[in-house]
Amino acid sequence: MSSAPDRSGRRVLVIGATSAIATETARVFAAYGARLFLTGRHPDRLEAVAADLRVRGAMQVETARLDVTDIGGHAGVIDAAAAGMGGLDVVLIAHGTLPDQRRCEESVAESLAAMQVNFTATVALLTLVANRFESARHGCIAVIGSVAGDRGRQSNYVYGAAKGGLERFLEGLRNRLFRSGVDVITIKPGFVDTPMTAQVPKNALFASPRRVGRAIYRAIESRRSVVYIPWFWRPIMCLVTALPESIFRRLRL
């Protein structure tokens, strides 16, 4: 009789760990006895998440403050995570912001700031993590993107451009690292009921952070390349991307 794989002790670095989705994903890792290194901008919130994960069964939890827009600070935090846990097995990149589209249209600075958080900073982190995992010929990189990256829409094209560019980057990175045994997973949630979407009217398409977090954990376990969460976003986005441009530009999406 086969036994379940031993998942305890895995070394997981979570970037943007205080987000609702990242916290729920980390809770599943904690329940399986993982070692966790959490980063975020607010030390007090990080410590609160860490305390929760210890209670839920994590073998080890450490924290470090990281503002992802401080590109120069990335290497030091990644090194600290690897040193603190004796290496890295999984890196989950979960930070992000949902910019105000109208403000971005009116301000170059707002647009560039949104791209910095949602694209440039993530690319910088991925470059460092990819090189580390490629040298070790081991590891799994999971990045939270968005269905917004599947097609540019008038209501959020700055955010969508950042996520669309990130998807192309991850696609190429996945191909590069394939022969090194390193997995790269693109996670594409739809609407999620989190503080980031507090100002967005809710409807039946919204999922809870708990549901999304559990699905992300399963995606990492299965090493699937691209995952829509919940699943029904894949056919929805197939339909959206299939619409002719002549029709799509007339829609108020």
Side-chain angles (χ1 to χ4, degrees), residues 19-28 191-195 197 206-216 229:
S19 78
I21 295 174
T23 297
E24 290 294 341
T25 308
R27 284 175 173 173
V28 186
F191 300 133
V192 186
D193 189 2
T194 68
T197 61
F206 273 77
S208 70
R210 185 171 186 268
R211 179 180 182 181
V212 174
R214 288 172 176 266
I216 290 173
I229 301 174

Side-chain angles (χ1 to χ4, degrees), residues 23-24 26-27 30 46-58 61:
T23 297
E24 290 294 341
R27 284 175 173 173
L46 278 174
E47 285 304 320
V49 174
D52 174 74
L53 297 178
R54 293 185 185 105
V55 171
R56 292 174 184 270
V61 186

